[in-house]
Amino acid sequence: MSRAPGMALAGGAARAVLAIAMALCVLAGAPALAGPLDDPRSDAFYTPPQPLPSGPHGTLIRSRPFIPVGLLAYGWQVMYKSNDVNGLPIAITGTVLVPFTPWLSGPRPVIAWAPGTQGQADNCAPSHQYALSTEYEATIAGATPATLARGWAIAMTDYQGLGTPGDHTWGIGKAEGQAVLDAALAAQQLSGAGLSANAPVGIMGYSQGGHAAAFAAELQPAYAPGLNVRGVAAGAGPFSIADVYANVNGGPFGGVGPIALMGLNAAYPELGLSSILTPYGQSVIADFRGTKCLLDVTASYPFLSDSVLVQAPAILNRADWLARMAQNQSGNGVPAVPALVYAGTLDEIIPFGQNQKLFAAWCARGGNVAFRTIGATEHATGLLLGLPVALDWMTQRFGSVPAVSECP
């Protein structure tokens, strides 16, 4: 429910005072109030209630404030209802950030932020990493502070299986897209955040987040028609999961491979990953379920190939795995709102051609799509250089500037 600006500020301030009090208690050694800093595996906040509460997808289940260190914003960890790839209700956690600065020109815009790849361990959940000030999209990449500086709120999903039970469904487009949309719906119900159900919403993401943002935009008209979505900016996301898997498998970023395999197996357990693993592969998967997040696993497993992870035949020679990968190709739908696709030409993880294919697919379906080349940059630099482009483009969407399609 929308609140008057004064009420929203008062509610947010009250939450901030509580968050500060919680932090002081943590420093004083009060374990009962240390929740936002606890590992999700031992933190009851991340354990979904059984049964799940009634209500549609996007229903807010629980929330608690935390202090987002280094960000001039109020912060909440949230749990909300979503659906898995089969349409069954699940609980997912996430983060809501609202800038300290008041928004005085109508409802404050909300960015439904799709985070990039984090890893498979539960402690890699963005909601947990924001509390610890270790989330790379806030620190190294600077994406979150740059977005908050525009005065926009952020509703960021953890996706299925990050923090909450089970492996994370990396690369499963339907599950990712639903989680992104439901985070925005849940944020609008958050007491004290002052976010309106009529707030303009922008969908943004890079890398895995680009894939999730694309699916969220394609799903939105049917799945979350009540959201006032103004545009989607999808950066350097996979178009074909199989092509991206082939690109990283055995290469410098081979550590991304097991994240993908675990994600597919989590969504489609009949693939039977555990039954085809080699003894070494079993140890690798166990390590990925431990505590290592993206930067650690990529540093620990350069040039990792599924030739040592799984028994013959290789993953891309298995028809059942290829079929499930194909089901998660983006571009089979089209956003009902203006879209931006952007990437760097030297991207070594998500080849530039992947983004050209998404642009072409959306154009072929009648989309209003723009394409931006972020120079001769690799993947990480593409995030840094592409963010201002995406933010400027989204500013125009929130400002009701007509979007000019670049489709041929």
Side-chain angles (χ1 to χ4, degrees):
M1 179 180 295
S2 177
R3 299 187 177 196
M7 293 179 65
L9 183 60
R15 289 287 185 175
V17 170
L18 178 57
I20 292 171
M22 292 177 68
L24 292 175
C25 288
V26 171
L27 294 174
L33 295 178
L37 303 180
D38 283 352
D39 189 305
R41 293 171 297 182
S42 58
D43 183 355
F45 182 88
Y46 288 87
T47 300
Q50 295 296 334
L52 293 178
S54 60
H57 63 82
T59 296
L60 182 67
I61 297 174
R62 62 173 67 124
S63 66
R64 66 184 178 193
F66 75 98
I67 298 174
V69 178
L71 301 176
L72 299 178
Y74 308 108
W76 292 266
Q77 294 172 328
V78 296
M79 175 180 281
Y80 59 92
K81 288 184 68 175
S82 191
N83 291 321
D84 67 10
V85 71
N86 298 311
L88 298 177
I90 56 174
I92 292 177
T93 48
T95 308
V96 176
L97 301 168
V98 178
F100 288 150
T101 53
W103 185 268
L104 302 177
S105 55
R108 186 191 295 272
V110 178
I111 296 297
W113 190 279
T117 300
Q118 306 290 318
Q120 277 287 357
D122 282 329
N123 60 284
C124 302
S127 62
H128 177 60
Q129 295 203 71
Y130 270 93
L132 296 181
S133 192
T134 58
E135 172 53 48
Y136 71 84
E137 289 194 338
T139 55
I140 300 172
T144 309
T147 303
L148 293 169
R150 305 256 173 161
W152 307 338
I154 293 175
M156 178 184 292
T157 183
D158 284 343
Y159 300 122
Q160 179 182 352
L162 272 180
T164 48
D167 287 342
H168 162 46
T169 51
W170 185 97
I172 308 304
K174 185 177 180 181
E176 290 175 338
Q178 292 171 166
V180 170
L181 296 169
D182 286 330
L185 291 171
Q188 294 172 348
Q189 303 160 42
L190 185 59
S191 177
L195 302 178
S196 170
N198 297 318
V201 175
I203 303 170
M204 296 182 66
Y206 187 87
S207 191
Q208 179 191 359
H211 184 253
F215 265 89
E218 293 178 13
L219 293 169
Q220 181 268 324
Y223 186 78
L227 282 178
N228 180 18
V229 178
R230 300 290 183 84
V232 54
F239 176 75
S240 164
I241 298 296
D243 287 350
V244 171
Y245 181 81
N247 184 60
V248 299
N249 186 42
F253 294 93
V256 175
I259 298 176
L261 299 183
M262 294 169 73
L264 285 158
N265 186 73
Y268 313 112
E270 74 278 4
L271 291 175
L273 177 61
S274 61
S275 68
I276 64 173
L277 289 172
T278 63
Y280 176 70
Q282 293 172 5
S283 69
V284 170
I285 297 302
D287 194 28
F288 274 62
R289 289 187 179 126
T291 61
K292 291 179 179 177
C293 298
L294 178 65
L295 299 182
D296 285 336
V297 294
T298 53
S300 299
Y301 294 98
F303 304 102
L304 181 64
S305 168
D306 65 22
S307 64
V308 297
L309 291 176
V310 301
Q311 305 163 27
I315 290 294
L316 294 180
N317 290 327
R318 294 175 177 267
D320 52 349
W321 285 81
L322 285 173
R324 291 304 194 182
M325 288 180 177
Q327 289 178 354
N328 291 283
Q329 176 175 300
S330 57
N332 290 316
V334 63
V337 295
L340 170 68
V341 179
Y342 64 99
T345 59
L346 299 182
D347 196 314
E348 75 283 32
I349 299 178
I350 312 294
F352 183 68
Q354 292 284 296
N355 299 274
Q356 293 176 307
K357 289 178 180 179
L358 177 60
F359 173 69
W362 278 351
C363 285
R365 293 179 175 272
N368 181 336
V369 195
F371 190 92
R372 296 288 182 274
T373 300
I374 313 300
T377 61
E378 45 74 55
H379 194 67
T381 309
L383 171 58
L384 294 171
L385 299 181
L387 180 67
V389 174
L391 292 176
D392 287 347
W393 183 89
M394 193 63 74
T395 296
Q396 294 182 332
R397 306 291 76 77
F398 287 153
S400 299
V401 177
V404 178
S405 178
E406 298 175 3
C407 292

Coordinates of all heavy atoms in Angstrom, one line a residue, residues 220-312:
Q220 N 6.5 -11.2 -17.7 CA 5.7 -10.2 -16.9 C 4.3 -10.0 -17.4 O 3.4 -9.9 -16.5 CB 6.5 -8.9 -16.9 CG 5.8 -7.8 -16.1 CD 4.9 -6.9 -16.9 OE1 5.2 -6.6 -18.1 NE2 3.8 -6.5 -16.4
P221 N 4.0 -9.9 -18.6 CA 2.6 -9.6 -19.0 C 1.6 -10.6 -18.5 O 0.5 -10.3 -18.1 CB 2.6 -9.5 -20.5 CG 4.0 -9.2 -20.9 CD 4.9 -9.8 -19.8
A222 N 2.0 -11.9 -18.5 CA 1.1 -12.9 -18.0 C 1.3 -13.2 -16.5 O 0.3 -13.6 -15.8 CB 1.3 -14.2 -18.8
Y223 N 2.5 -13.1 -16.0 CA 2.8 -13.6 -14.7 C 2.5 -12.5 -13.6 O 2.0 -12.8 -12.5 CB 4.2 -14.0 -14.6 CG 4.6 -14.6 -13.3 CD1 4.3 -15.9 -12.9 CD2 5.4 -13.9 -12.3 CE1 4.6 -16.5 -11.7 CE2 5.7 -14.5 -11.1 CZ 5.4 -15.8 -10.8 OH 5.7 -16.3 -9.6
A224 N 2.9 -11.2 -14.0 CA 2.8 -10.1 -13.0 C 2.2 -8.9 -13.7 O 2.9 -7.9 -13.8 CB 4.1 -9.8 -12.3
P225 N 1.0 -9.0 -14.3 CA 0.5 -7.9 -15.1 C 0.2 -6.6 -14.3 O 0.1 -5.5 -14.9 CB -0.9 -8.5 -15.6 CG -1.2 -9.5 -14.7 CD 0.0 -10.1 -14.2
G226 N 0.1 -6.7 -12.9 CA -0.1 -5.6 -12.1 C 1.1 -4.7 -11.9 O 0.9 -3.5 -11.4
L227 N 2.3 -5.2 -12.2 CA 3.5 -4.4 -12.0 C 3.5 -3.3 -13.1 O 3.3 -3.6 -14.3 CB 4.7 -5.2 -12.1 CG 5.1 -6.0 -10.9 CD1 6.4 -6.9 -11.2 CD2 5.3 -5.1 -9.7
N228 N 3.8 -2.1 -12.7 CA 3.9 -1.0 -13.7 C 5.3 -0.9 -14.3 O 6.1 0.0 -14.0 CB 3.6 0.3 -12.9 CG 3.7 1.6 -13.8 OD1 3.6 1.5 -15.0 ND2 3.8 2.7 -13.2
V229 N 5.7 -1.9 -15.1 CA 7.0 -2.0 -15.7 C 7.2 -1.0 -16.8 O 6.3 -0.9 -17.7 CB 7.3 -3.5 -16.2 CG1 8.6 -3.6 -16.8 CG2 7.1 -4.5 -15.0
R230 N 8.3 -0.3 -16.8 CA 8.5 0.7 -17.8 C 9.6 0.3 -18.8 O 9.7 0.8 -19.9 CB 9.0 2.0 -17.1 CG 7.9 2.6 -16.2 CD 6.7 3.2 -16.9 NE 5.8 3.8 -16.0 CZ 5.9 5.1 -15.6 NH1 6.9 5.8 -16.0 NH2 5.0 5.6 -14.8
G231 N 10.4 -0.7 -18.4 CA 11.5 -1.1 -19.3 C 12.4 -2.2 -18.7 O 12.3 -2.4 -17.5
V232 N 13.2 -2.8 -19.6 CA 14.1 -3.9 -19.1 C 15.4 -3.6 -19.8 O 15.5 -3.4 -21.0 CB 13.6 -5.3 -19.5 CG1 13.3 -5.4 -21.0 CG2 14.6 -6.4 -19.0
A233 N 16.5 -3.7 -19.0 CA 17.9 -3.6 -19.5 C 18.6 -4.9 -19.1 O 18.9 -5.1 -18.0 CB 18.6 -2.4 -18.8
A234 N 18.9 -5.7 -20.2 CA 19.5 -7.0 -20.0 C 20.9 -6.9 -20.5 O 21.1 -6.7 -21.7 CB 18.7 -8.0 -20.7
G235 N 21.9 -7.0 -19.6 CA 23.3 -6.9 -20.0 C 24.0 -8.3 -20.1 O 24.0 -9.0 -19.1
A236 N 24.7 -8.6 -21.2 CA 25.6 -9.7 -21.3 C 25.1 -11.0 -20.7 O 25.8 -11.7 -19.9 CB 27.0 -9.4 -20.6
G237 N 23.8 -11.3 -20.9 CA 23.2 -12.6 -20.4 C 23.3 -13.7 -21.4 O 23.4 -13.5 -22.6
P238 N 23.3 -15.0 -20.9 CA 23.2 -16.1 -21.9 C 22.0 -16.1 -22.7 O 20.9 -15.8 -22.2 CB 23.3 -17.3 -20.9 CG 23.8 -16.8 -19.6 CD 23.3 -15.4 -19.5
F239 N 22.1 -16.3 -24.0 CA 21.0 -16.6 -24.9 C 20.8 -18.1 -24.9 O 19.7 -18.6 -24.6 CB 21.2 -16.0 -26.3 CG 20.2 -16.4 -27.3 CD1 19.0 -15.7 -27.2 CD2 20.4 -17.3 -28.3 CE1 18.0 -15.9 -28.2 CE2 19.4 -17.6 -29.2 CZ 18.2 -16.9 -29.1
S240 N 21.8 -18.8 -25.2 CA 21.8 -20.3 -25.2 C 22.6 -20.8 -24.0 O 23.8 -20.6 -24.0 CB 22.3 -20.9 -26.5 OG 22.6 -22.2 -26.4
I241 N 22.0 -21.5 -23.1 CA 22.8 -22.1 -22.0 C 23.8 -23.1 -22.5 O 24.9 -23.2 -22.0 CB 21.8 -22.8 -21.0 CG1 20.8 -21.8 -20.4 CG2 22.6 -23.5 -19.9 CD1 21.5 -20.7 -19.6
A242 N 23.4 -23.9 -23.5 CA 24.4 -24.9 -24.0 C 25.6 -24.2 -24.6 O 26.8 -24.6 -24.4 CB 23.7 -25.7 -25.1
D243 N 25.4 -23.1 -25.4 CA 26.5 -22.4 -26.0 C 27.5 -21.8 -24.9 O 28.7 -21.8 -25.1 CB 26.0 -21.3 -26.9 CG 25.4 -21.9 -28.2 OD1 25.6 -23.1 -28.5 OD2 24.8 -21.1 -28.9
V244 N 26.9 -21.2 -23.9 CA 27.7 -20.6 -22.8 C 28.4 -21.7 -22.1 O 29.6 -21.6 -21.7 CB 26.8 -19.8 -21.9 CG1 27.6 -19.3 -20.7 CG2 26.3 -18.5 -22.6
Y245 N 27.7 -22.8 -21.8 CA 28.4 -23.9 -21.1 C 29.6 -24.4 -21.9 O 30.7 -24.7 -21.4 CB 27.4 -25.1 -20.9 CG 28.0 -26.2 -20.1 CD1 28.2 -26.2 -18.8 CD2 28.5 -27.4 -20.8 CE1 28.7 -27.3 -18.1 CE2 29.1 -28.4 -20.2 CZ 29.2 -28.4 -18.8 OH 29.8 -29.4 -18.1
A246 N 29.4 -24.6 -23.2 CA 30.5 -25.0 -24.1 C 31.6 -24.0 -24.1 O 32.8 -24.4 -24.1 CB 30.0 -25.2 -25.5
N247 N 31.3 -22.7 -23.9 CA 32.4 -21.7 -23.9 C 33.2 -21.8 -22.7 O 34.4 -21.6 -22.7 CB 31.7 -20.3 -24.1 CG 32.8 -19.2 -24.2 OD1 33.6 -19.2 -25.1 ND2 32.7 -18.3 -23.2
V248 N 32.6 -22.0 -21.5 CA 33.4 -22.0 -20.3 C 34.0 -23.4 -19.9 O 35.0 -23.4 -19.2 CB 32.5 -21.5 -19.1 CG1 32.0 -20.1 -19.3 CG2 31.4 -22.5 -18.8
N249 N 33.4 -24.4 -20.4 CA 33.9 -25.8 -20.1 C 35.3 -26.0 -20.5 O 35.6 -25.9 -21.7 CB 32.9 -26.8 -20.7 CG 33.3 -28.2 -20.3 OD1 33.5 -28.5 -19.1 ND2 33.2 -29.2 -21.2
G250 N 36.2 -26.3 -19.6 CA 37.6 -26.5 -19.9 C 38.4 -25.2 -20.1 O 39.6 -25.3 -20.3
G251 N 37.8 -24.1 -20.0 CA 38.5 -22.8 -20.2 C 38.8 -22.1 -18.9 O 38.7 -22.7 -17.8
P252 N 39.4 -20.9 -18.9 CA 39.8 -20.2 -17.7 C 38.7 -20.1 -16.7 O 39.0 -20.0 -15.5 CB 40.3 -18.9 -18.3 CG 40.6 -19.1 -19.7 CD 39.7 -20.1 -20.2
F253 N 37.5 -20.0 -17.1 CA 36.3 -19.9 -16.2 C 35.5 -21.2 -16.1 O 34.3 -21.2 -16.0 CB 35.4 -18.7 -16.6 CG 36.1 -17.4 -16.5 CD1 36.8 -16.8 -17.6 CD2 36.2 -16.7 -15.4 CE1 37.5 -15.6 -17.6 CE2 36.8 -15.4 -15.3 CZ 37.5 -14.9 -16.4
G254 N 36.3 -22.3 -16.1 CA 35.6 -23.6 -16.0 C 34.9 -23.8 -14.7 O 34.0 -24.6 -14.7
G255 N 35.2 -23.0 -13.7 CA 34.5 -23.1 -12.4 C 33.0 -22.7 -12.5 O 32.3 -23.1 -11.6
V256 N 32.6 -22.1 -13.6 CA 31.2 -21.7 -13.8 C 30.4 -23.0 -14.2 O 29.2 -23.1 -13.9 CB 31.0 -20.6 -14.8 CG1 29.6 -20.4 -15.1 CG2 31.7 -19.4 -14.4
G257 N 31.1 -24.0 -14.8 CA 30.4 -25.2 -15.3 C 29.6 -25.9 -14.2 O 28.5 -26.2 -14.4
P258 N 30.2 -26.3 -13.1 CA 29.5 -27.0 -12.0 C 28.3 -26.2 -11.5 O 27.3 -26.8 -11.1 CB 30.5 -27.2 -10.9 CG 31.8 -27.2 -11.6 CD 31.7 -26.2 -12.7
I259 N 28.4 -24.9 -11.5 CA 27.2 -24.0 -11.0 C 26.1 -24.3 -12.0 O 24.9 -24.4 -11.5 CB 27.6 -22.5 -11.0 CG1 28.7 -22.3 -10.0 CG2 26.4 -21.7 -10.7 CD1 29.2 -20.8 -10.0
A260 N 26.4 -24.4 -13.3 CA 25.3 -24.6 -14.3 C 24.7 -26.0 -14.1 O 23.5 -26.2 -14.2 CB 25.8 -24.4 -15.7
L261 N 25.6 -27.0 -14.0 CA 25.1 -28.4 -13.9 C 24.3 -28.6 -12.6 O 23.2 -29.2 -12.7 CB 26.3 -29.3 -13.8 CG 27.3 -29.4 -15.0 CD1 28.3 -30.4 -14.9 CD2 26.5 -29.6 -16.3
M262 N 24.7 -28.0 -11.5 CA 23.9 -28.1 -10.3 C 22.6 -27.4 -10.4 O 21.5 -27.8 -9.9 CB 24.7 -27.5 -9.1 CG 25.9 -28.3 -8.8 SD 27.0 -27.4 -7.6 CE 26.1 -27.6 -6.1
G263 N 22.6 -26.2 -11.2 CA 21.3 -25.5 -11.4 C 20.3 -26.3 -12.2 O 19.1 -26.4 -11.9
L264 N 20.8 -26.9 -13.3 CA 19.9 -27.7 -14.1 C 19.4 -28.9 -13.4 O 18.2 -29.3 -13.4 CB 20.7 -28.2 -15.4 CG 20.9 -27.1 -16.4 CD1 22.1 -27.5 -17.3 CD2 19.6 -27.0 -17.3
N265 N 20.3 -29.6 -12.6 CA 19.8 -30.8 -11.8 C 18.8 -30.4 -10.7 O 17.9 -31.2 -10.4 CB 21.1 -31.4 -11.2 CG 20.7 -32.7 -10.6 OD1 20.5 -33.7 -11.2 ND2 20.8 -32.8 -9.2
A266 N 19.0 -29.2 -10.2 CA 18.1 -28.8 -9.1 C 16.7 -28.6 -9.7 O 15.7 -28.9 -9.0 CB 18.5 -27.5 -8.5
A267 N 16.6 -28.1 -10.9 CA 15.3 -27.9 -11.5 C 14.7 -29.1 -12.1 O 13.5 -29.3 -12.1 CB 15.4 -26.8 -12.6
Y268 N 15.6 -30.0 -12.6 CA 15.1 -31.2 -13.3 C 15.9 -32.4 -12.7 O 16.8 -32.9 -13.3 CB 15.5 -31.1 -14.8 CG 15.0 -29.8 -15.4 CD1 16.0 -28.9 -15.9 CD2 13.7 -29.5 -15.5 CE1 15.6 -27.7 -16.5 CE2 13.3 -28.3 -16.1 CZ 14.2 -27.4 -16.6 OH 13.9 -26.2 -17.1
P269 N 15.5 -32.9 -11.5 CA 16.2 -33.9 -10.8 C 16.3 -35.2 -11.6 O 17.2 -36.0 -11.3 CB 15.4 -34.1 -9.5 CG 14.1 -33.5 -9.8 CD 14.3 -32.4 -10.7
E270 N 15.4 -35.4 -12.6 CA 15.5 -36.7 -13.4 C 16.8 -36.7 -14.2 O 17.2 -37.8 -14.7 CB 14.3 -36.8 -14.3 CG 14.3 -35.9 -15.5 CD 13.8 -34.4 -15.2 OE1 13.5 -34.1 -14.0 OE2 13.7 -33.6 -16.2
L271 N 17.5 -35.6 -14.3 CA 18.8 -35.6 -15.0 C 19.8 -36.4 -14.2 O 20.8 -36.9 -14.8 CB 19.4 -34.2 -15.2 CG 18.6 -33.3 -16.1 CD1 19.1 -31.9 -16.1 CD2 18.6 -33.9 -17.6
G272 N 19.7 -36.6 -12.9 CA 20.5 -37.5 -12.1 C 22.0 -37.2 -12.1 O 22.8 -38.0 -12.3
L273 N 22.3 -35.9 -11.8 CA 23.7 -35.5 -11.8 C 24.5 -36.4 -10.9 O 25.6 -36.8 -11.3 CB 23.8 -34.1 -11.3 CG 25.2 -33.5 -11.2 CD1 26.0 -33.6 -12.5 CD2 25.2 -32.1 -10.6
S274 N 24.1 -36.7 -9.7 CA 24.9 -37.5 -8.8 C 25.2 -38.9 -9.3 O 26.3 -39.5 -9.0 CB 24.1 -37.7 -7.4 OG 22.9 -38.4 -7.6
S275 N 24.4 -39.4 -10.2 CA 24.6 -40.8 -10.7 C 25.6 -40.8 -11.8 O 26.1 -41.9 -12.2 CB 23.3 -41.4 -11.2 OG 22.8 -40.7 -12.4
I276 N 26.0 -39.7 -12.4 CA 26.9 -39.7 -13.5 C 28.3 -39.0 -13.1 O 29.2 -38.9 -13.9 CB 26.4 -38.9 -14.7 CG1 26.1 -37.5 -14.4 CG2 25.1 -39.6 -15.2 CD1 25.7 -36.7 -15.7
L277 N 28.4 -38.5 -11.8 CA 29.6 -37.9 -11.4 C 30.7 -38.9 -11.2 O 30.5 -40.1 -10.7 CB 29.4 -37.2 -10.1 CG 28.5 -35.9 -10.1 CD1 28.2 -35.4 -8.7 CD2 29.2 -34.8 -10.9
T278 N 31.9 -38.5 -11.5 CA 33.1 -39.3 -11.1 C 33.4 -39.1 -9.7 O 32.8 -38.2 -9.0 CB 34.3 -38.9 -12.0 OG1 34.6 -37.5 -11.6 CG2 34.1 -39.0 -13.5
P279 N 34.2 -39.9 -9.0 CA 34.6 -39.6 -7.6 C 35.1 -38.2 -7.5 O 34.8 -37.5 -6.5 CB 35.7 -40.7 -7.3 CG 35.3 -41.8 -8.2 CD 34.8 -41.2 -9.5
Y280 N 36.0 -37.7 -8.4 CA 36.5 -36.3 -8.3 C 35.3 -35.3 -8.5 O 35.2 -34.3 -7.8 CB 37.5 -36.1 -9.4 CG 38.0 -34.7 -9.5 CD1 38.8 -34.2 -8.5 CD2 37.6 -33.8 -10.5 CE1 39.2 -32.8 -8.5 CE2 38.1 -32.5 -10.6 CZ 38.9 -32.0 -9.5 OH 39.3 -30.7 -9.5
G281 N 34.4 -35.6 -9.4 CA 33.2 -34.8 -9.6 C 32.4 -34.6 -8.3 O 31.9 -33.6 -8.0
Q282 N 32.3 -35.8 -7.6 CA 31.5 -35.7 -6.3 C 32.2 -34.8 -5.3 O 31.5 -34.0 -4.6 CB 31.4 -37.1 -5.8 CG 30.6 -38.1 -6.6 CD 30.6 -39.5 -6.1 OE1 31.3 -39.8 -5.1 NE2 30.0 -40.4 -6.8
S283 N 33.5 -34.8 -5.3 CA 34.2 -33.9 -4.4 C 34.1 -32.5 -4.8 O 34.0 -31.6 -3.9 CB 35.7 -34.3 -4.3 OG 36.4 -34.0 -5.5
V284 N 34.1 -32.2 -6.1 CA 33.9 -30.8 -6.6 C 32.5 -30.3 -6.2 O 32.4 -29.2 -5.7 CB 34.2 -30.8 -8.1 CG1 33.8 -29.4 -8.6 CG2 35.6 -31.0 -8.4
I285 N 31.5 -31.1 -6.5 CA 30.2 -30.6 -6.2 C 30.0 -30.4 -4.7 O 29.4 -29.4 -4.2 CB 29.1 -31.6 -6.7 CG1 29.2 -31.8 -8.2 CG2 27.7 -31.2 -6.2 CD1 29.0 -30.5 -9.0
A286 N 30.6 -31.2 -3.9 CA 30.5 -31.0 -2.4 C 31.2 -29.7 -2.0 O 30.8 -29.0 -1.1 CB 31.2 -32.2 -1.7
D287 N 32.3 -29.4 -2.7 CA 33.0 -28.2 -2.4 C 32.2 -26.9 -2.8 O 32.2 -25.9 -2.1 CB 34.4 -28.1 -3.2 CG 35.3 -27.1 -2.7 OD1 35.2 -26.7 -1.5 OD2 36.1 -26.6 -3.5
F288 N 31.5 -27.1 -3.9 CA 30.6 -26.0 -4.3 C 29.5 -25.7 -3.4 O 28.9 -24.6 -3.3 CB 30.1 -26.2 -5.8 CG 31.0 -25.7 -6.9 CD1 32.3 -26.3 -7.0 CD2 30.6 -24.8 -7.7 CE1 33.2 -25.9 -8.0 CE2 31.5 -24.3 -8.7 CZ 32.7 -24.9 -8.9
R289 N 29.1 -26.8 -2.7 CA 28.0 -26.6 -1.7 C 28.5 -26.2 -0.3 O 27.8 -26.0 0.6 CB 27.3 -28.0 -1.5 CG 26.4 -28.4 -2.7 CD 25.6 -29.6 -2.3 NE 24.8 -30.0 -3.5 CZ 24.8 -31.2 -4.0 NH1 25.6 -32.2 -3.6 NH2 24.0 -31.5 -5.1
G290 N 29.8 -25.9 -0.2 CA 30.4 -25.5 1.0 C 30.3 -24.1 1.3 O 29.2 -23.6 1.6
T291 N 31.3 -23.3 1.2 CA 31.3 -21.9 1.5 C 31.8 -21.0 0.4 O 31.8 -19.7 0.5 CB 32.0 -21.6 2.8 OG1 33.4 -21.9 2.6 CG2 31.4 -22.3 4.0
K292 N 32.4 -21.5 -0.7 CA 33.0 -20.7 -1.7 C 32.0 -20.1 -2.7 O 31.1 -20.7 -3.2 CB 34.0 -21.6 -2.6 CG 35.2 -22.1 -1.8 CD 36.0 -23.0 -2.7 CE 37.3 -23.5 -2.0 NZ 38.1 -24.4 -2.8
C293 N 32.2 -18.8 -2.9 CA 31.3 -18.0 -3.8 C 32.1 -17.8 -5.1 O 33.1 -18.4 -5.3 CB 30.9 -16.7 -3.2 SG 30.0 -16.9 -1.6
L294 N 31.5 -17.1 -6.0 CA 31.9 -17.0 -7.4 C 33.4 -16.8 -7.6 O 34.1 -17.5 -8.3 CB 31.2 -15.9 -8.1 CG 31.6 -15.7 -9.6 CD1 31.2 -16.9 -10.4 CD2 30.9 -14.5 -10.2
L295 N 34.0 -15.8 -6.9 CA 35.4 -15.4 -7.1 C 36.3 -16.6 -6.6 O 37.3 -16.9 -7.3 CB 35.7 -14.1 -6.4 CG 35.0 -12.9 -6.9 CD1 35.4 -11.7 -6.2 CD2 35.1 -12.7 -8.4
D296 N 35.9 -17.2 -5.5 CA 36.7 -18.3 -5.0 C 36.6 -19.6 -5.9 O 37.7 -20.2 -6.1 CB 36.2 -18.7 -3.6 CG 36.7 -17.7 -2.6 OD1 37.7 -17.0 -2.8 OD2 36.0 -17.6 -1.5
V297 N 35.5 -19.9 -6.4 CA 35.4 -21.1 -7.2 C 36.0 -21.0 -8.6 O 36.7 -21.9 -9.1 CB 33.9 -21.6 -7.4 CG1 33.3 -22.1 -6.0 CG2 33.0 -20.6 -8.0
T298 N 35.9 -19.8 -9.1 CA 36.6 -19.6 -10.4 C 38.1 -19.5 -10.2 O 38.9 -20.0 -11.1 CB 36.2 -18.3 -11.1 OG1 36.3 -17.2 -10.2 CG2 34.7 -18.4 -11.5
A299 N 38.6 -19.0 -9.1 CA 40.0 -19.1 -8.8 C 40.5 -20.5 -8.5 O 41.7 -20.8 -8.8 CB 40.4 -18.1 -7.7
S300 N 39.7 -21.3 -7.8 CA 40.0 -22.6 -7.4 C 40.0 -23.6 -8.5 O 40.7 -24.7 -8.5 CB 39.1 -23.1 -6.3 OG 39.2 -22.2 -5.2
Y301 N 39.2 -23.4 -9.6 CA 39.0 -24.4 -10.6 C 39.1 -23.8 -12.0 O 38.3 -24.0 -12.9 CB 37.6 -25.0 -10.4 CG 37.4 -25.8 -9.2 CD1 36.8 -25.2 -8.1 CD2 37.9 -27.1 -9.0 CE1 36.6 -25.9 -6.9 CE2 37.7 -27.8 -7.9 CZ 37.1 -27.2 -6.8 OH 36.9 -27.9 -5.6
P302 N 40.3 -23.2 -12.3 CA 40.5 -22.8 -13.7 C 40.6 -24.0 -14.6 O 41.2 -25.0 -14.2 CB 41.7 -21.9 -13.6 CG 42.5 -22.5 -12.4 CD 41.4 -22.9 -11.4
F303 N 40.1 -23.9 -15.8 CA 40.3 -24.9 -16.8 C 39.6 -26.2 -16.4 O 39.9 -27.3 -17.0 CB 41.7 -25.1 -17.2 CG 42.4 -23.9 -17.7 CD1 43.3 -23.2 -16.8 CD2 42.2 -23.4 -18.9 CE1 43.9 -22.0 -17.2 CE2 42.8 -22.2 -19.3 CZ 43.6 -21.5 -18.5
L304 N 38.6 -26.1 -15.5 CA 37.9 -27.3 -15.1 C 37.0 -27.8 -16.3 O 36.3 -27.0 -16.9 CB 37.0 -27.0 -13.9 CG 36.2 -28.2 -13.3 CD1 37.1 -29.3 -12.8 CD2 35.3 -27.7 -12.2
S305 N 37.0 -29.1 -16.6 CA 36.3 -29.6 -17.7 C 35.4 -30.7 -17.2 O 35.7 -31.4 -16.2 CB 37.2 -30.2 -18.8 OG 36.5 -31.0 -19.7
D306 N 34.2 -30.9 -17.8 CA 33.3 -32.0 -17.4 C 33.9 -33.4 -17.7 O 33.4 -34.4 -17.4 CB 31.9 -31.8 -17.8 CG 31.7 -31.9 -19.4 OD1 32.6 -32.5 -20.0 OD2 30.7 -31.4 -19.9
S307 N 35.0 -33.4 -18.5 CA 35.7 -34.7 -18.8 C 36.2 -35.3 -17.5 O 36.4 -36.6 -17.5 CB 36.8 -34.4 -19.8 OG 37.8 -33.6 -19.2
V308 N 36.4 -34.5 -16.5 CA 36.9 -35.1 -15.2 C 35.8 -35.1 -14.2 O 35.9 -35.7 -13.1 CB 38.1 -34.4 -14.6 CG1 39.3 -34.6 -15.6 CG2 37.8 -32.9 -14.4
L309 N 34.7 -34.4 -14.5 CA 33.5 -34.3 -13.5 C 32.5 -35.4 -13.7 O 32.0 -36.0 -12.7 CB 32.8 -33.0 -13.7 CG 33.6 -31.7 -13.3 CD1 32.7 -30.5 -13.6 CD2 33.9 -31.7 -11.8
V310 N 32.2 -35.8 -15.0 CA 31.2 -36.8 -15.2 C 31.7 -37.9 -16.0 O 32.7 -37.8 -16.8 CB 30.0 -36.2 -15.9 CG1 29.4 -35.0 -15.1 CG2 30.3 -35.7 -17.3
Q311 N 31.1 -39.1 -15.9 CA 31.4 -40.2 -16.7 C 31.0 -40.0 -18.2 O 30.1 -39.2 -18.4 CB 30.7 -41.5 -16.2 CG 31.0 -41.7 -14.7 CD 29.9 -42.7 -14.1 OE1 29.3 -43.5 -14.8 NE2 29.7 -42.6 -12.8
A312 N 31.7 -40.6 -19.1 CA 31.3 -40.5 -20.5 C 29.9 -41.0 -20.7 O 29.5 -41.9 -20.1 CB 32.3 -41.3 -21.4

